[in-house]
Amino acid sequence: MSLPPTNPMRRPAQSPRIKTAMEPGAVLPSPLGHPAYSQTMPCAPESARRARLLVSAACTAWGLPGLTDSAALVVSELIGNSVRHSGSHLVRVLVSLPEPGRVRVAVVDKSRTAPAPRTVDDSAEDGRGLVVVQALADRWGTEVLRWGKQVWVELRTDSGGGE
C-alpha cells in the first residue's frame, strides 16, 4: 500500500490560533468585568495560589490595585474552606466587577452545605476564615445551587468608585 504523493504547494493544516490583544477581531475582557474572569482548578490547598493570581490579575486589569491584597486573602480563605469542608474534586473561582470600584470574588464547589462563621477562642489554630472574610467584605453570602453552592464576597474601594 502506497501513500498518495504529497503536493509541495499545499500548506499543512494549521490549528486555529488564539488571537492576541493587538490583532483585529480579538475579544478582550471588558474593564467592567463582562466577561468575568474564571478558572476551574483542583479542590486542593495548592489551588489557593492560582486563585490569588487570578484575583490579582483581575484587580490589576480593572485598575483596582488597592483591593488586590484583600481579594487575594478572601479567595484563599474561600478555597481553604472548600478544601476542608466540601469533599469536591474541583472548584471554580470567579472574579467579576459588578460595578465600578466593587470586586466580587466567588468560589463554587459541589457541597450544598452553606458556610457559617464559628466563634473561636484565642487558643484555636483554625476556624477564623469566615471571621476574616466578614471583616474584609462589604457584603458576602451563599447561593445554593442544584448541584452545589457558590460562596461570594464583594469588596469595594473606600470611595465605591475607581481609585
Side-chain angles (χ1 to χ4, degrees), residues 43 81-82 84-91 107-116 141-151:
C43 187
N81 283 346
S82 283
R84 282 186 290 282
H85 304 294
S86 76
S88 299
H89 295 291
L90 297 171
V91 293
V107 173
V108 180
D109 62 39
K110 291 197 175 187
S111 170
R112 296 190 77 213
T113 304
T142 302
E143 180 181 345
V144 178
L145 309 169
R146 211 178 65 224
W147 49 266
K149 71 172 176 309
Q150 178 184 85
V151 180

Side-chain angles (χ1 to χ4, degrees), residues 99 102 133-140 152-156:
E99 61 189 52
R102 181 179 297 275
V133 167
Q134 284 180 317
L136 294 172
D138 181 45
R139 57 187 173 199
W140 75 282
W152 56 269
V153 177
E154 289 188 2
L155 306 162
R156 67 178 177 87

Side-chain angles (χ1 to χ4, degrees), residues 18-29:
I18 297 173
K19 295 181 179 183
T20 65
M22 299 308 288
E23 293 181 74
V27 178
L28 299 175

Side-chain angles (χ1 to χ4, degrees), residues 12-140:
Q14 294 180 347
S15 61
R17 191 169 63 82
I18 297 173
K19 295 181 179 183
T20 65
M22 299 308 288
E23 293 181 74
V27 178
L28 299 175
S30 163
L32 291 180
H34 298 286
Y37 295 92
S38 68
Q39 189 173 15
T40 300
M41 52 192 73
C43 187
E46 301 78 35
S47 292
R49 180 179 180 276
R50 287 176 55 190
R52 286 190 301 271
L53 291 172
L54 179 68
V55 166
S56 295
C59 287
T60 299
W62 295 325
L64 298 170
L67 292 179
T68 301
D69 291 340
S70 294
L73 180 55
V74 162
V75 80
S76 291
E77 294 297 340
L78 297 181
I79 292 285
N81 283 346
S82 283
V83 169
R84 282 186 290 282
H85 304 294
S86 76
S88 299
H89 295 291
L90 297 171
V91 293
R92 183 143 188 97
V93 177
L94 304 133
V95 189
S96 62
L97 192 67
E99 61 189 52
R102 181 179 297 275
V103 172
R104 182 179 177 120
V105 177
V107 173
V108 180
D109 62 39
K110 291 197 175 187
S111 170
R112 296 190 77 213
T113 304
R118 299 186 325 202
T119 55
V120 292
D121 61 32
D122 292 336
S123 64
E125 291 186 23
D126 64 355
R128 291 182 178 86
L130 287 178
V131 173
V132 170
V133 167
Q134 284 180 317
L136 294 172
D138 181 45
R139 57 187 173 199
W140 75 282

